[in-house]
Amino acid sequence: MLAPMEGVTDNAFRTLCYRNGADLTFTEMARVDNLSRLKRGELEKITITNKTPTQIQIAGAKISEYEKFLRGFKAVEGFMGFNLNLGCPSPAYIRQGLGAAMIKRVSRVNDIVRLINRSGFECSVKLRLGLNGYEKGKGIYLNLIEGVDASFFVVHARTAKQTGRDPADFSVYAKCVDTGKRIVANGDVKTKKQAEELEGIGLYGAMIGRAAIDNPGIFNELRVRDCS
Ligand SMILES: Cc1cc2nc3c(=O)[nH]c(=O)nc-3n(C[C@H](O)[C@H](O)[C@H](O)COP(=O)(O)O)c2cc1C
């Protein structure tokens, strides 16, 4: 899968990666409060202009905003469901209880996923391991995975405190897979050897971000099997 990346994963880049073997792609994150108010810039982020399989990534905590947005939402060809962002590390988002601050809010996240499902759409979740090492140690990411009925969980194996230069912690994936849910690995995936290692752990798939900017052909190069 191609990772959601602000300013990068527009329709053209998503299609380039799809043609090079990405099974599924994601829009950059859009805020549900802005979408529910029909803000043009936000609506542009989630516009799908071709048939490339795409999940729309959204962030928000208020049920009423999701209800309002979903009432006016029309699915187009290529749309494959929504992905909830529980990973954004921006302090401004975290102060508002959004992004990685949502990992602890299991029952709210489940309510959002159910609402999206009731509206007729699939919903996956992308999360980090917690806000910091303490939350990671407490296993809050496992509570979330166990407590939420999403179609799959993309686990970006870093905490919100860590930067992209800190190595992703591949050791967490086995515990995630043990929950019995579909788990997609994310963070520093760039070699075939890693892809095979992840396949051996029983992951549902892998998501690639920065390595795809350098080489959009990476999806076919790392393919171990179809993500279906
Ligand atoms: C430029 C850039 C923009 C990003 N924007 C988003 C985003 O909108 N939503 C999101 O969930 N993650 C976003 N991320 C995080 C990536 O989706 C991914 O989790 C992260 O880069 C780790 O994967 P990688 O090591 O394969 O790049 C962004 C990352 C980068 C580098």
Side-chain angles (χ1 to χ4, degrees):
M1 299 179 182
L2 168 67
M5 288 184 283
E6 184 182 8
V8 178
T9 52
D10 59 7
N11 281 277
F13 192 72
R14 295 197 303 266
T15 300
L16 177 65
C17 292
Y18 175 59
R19 290 188 181 154
N20 280 282
D23 292 303
L24 186 60
T25 70
F26 296 77
T27 66
E28 67 178 85
M29 181 183 76
R31 290 184 61 129
V32 175
D33 52 356
N34 289 336
L35 292 172
S36 71
R37 286 176 207 127
L38 302 177
K39 289 213 173 150
R40 204 162 69 191
E42 216 69 3
L43 289 169
E44 275 167 12
K45 291 180 188 171
I46 69 161
T47 301
I48 297 171
T49 58
N50 53 37
K51 296 175 188 163
T52 296
T54 303
Q55 285 203 342
I56 291 176
Q57 194 189 60
I58 46 181
K62 287 198 186 135
I63 295 288
S64 57
E65 287 168 354
Y66 282 92
E67 284 171 340
K68 192 168 170 210
F69 162 61
L70 288 165
R71 268 199 299 277
F73 178 77
K74 299 260 179 311
V76 296
E77 204 171 349
F79 170 71
M80 302 297 283
F82 290 101
N83 175 264
L84 289 188
N85 180 310
L86 309 187
C88 182
S90 147
Y93 274 64
I94 286 168
R95 272 197 300 277
Q96 296 171 55
L98 300 173
M102 291 274 286
I103 305 168
K104 289 189 286 294
R105 305 181 70 184
V106 176
S107 110
R108 175 60 60 93
V109 174
N110 220 3
D111 287 346
I112 295 168
V113 171
R114 287 198 184 122
L115 172 64
I116 290 172
N117 291 161
R118 276 202 308 277
S119 305
F121 308 120
E122 177 177 326
C123 186
S124 65
V125 165
K126 181 169 182 275
L127 70 157
R128 289 198 183 223
L129 303 176
L131 285 178
N132 48 41
Y134 176 77
E135 288 193 355
K136 176 184 171 186
K138 288 271 179 202
I140 67 155
Y141 58 102
L142 293 171
N143 294 344
L144 188 285
I145 293 168
E146 277 161 3
V148 171
D149 292 322
S151 52
F152 60 85
F153 296 83
V154 180
V155 179
H156 178 187
R158 294 186 173 93
T159 68
K161 267 255 152 41
Q162 293 180 296
T163 72
R165 283 187 297 279
D166 294 313
D169 181 0
F170 279 41
S171 76
V172 301
Y173 294 133
K175 281 177 268 182
C176 297
V177 169
D178 282 348
T179 62
K181 304 284 179 82
R182 286 175 165 175
I183 307 295
V184 175
N186 172 238
D188 294 341
V189 179
K190 40 183 172 266
T191 66
K192 179 97 178 186
K193 187 163 171 280
Q194 287 172 321
E196 285 165 354
E197 222 175 89
L198 296 169
E199 164 79 355
I201 300 171
L203 284 147
Y204 176 59
M207 174 184 271
I208 299 175
R210 291 164 298 175
I213 302 177
D214 293 339
N215 172 22
I218 194 166
F219 299 97
N220 277 330
E221 291 171 16
L222 266 57
R223 175 172 294 286
V224 180
R225 63 167 164 75
D226 284 341
C227 186
S228 57

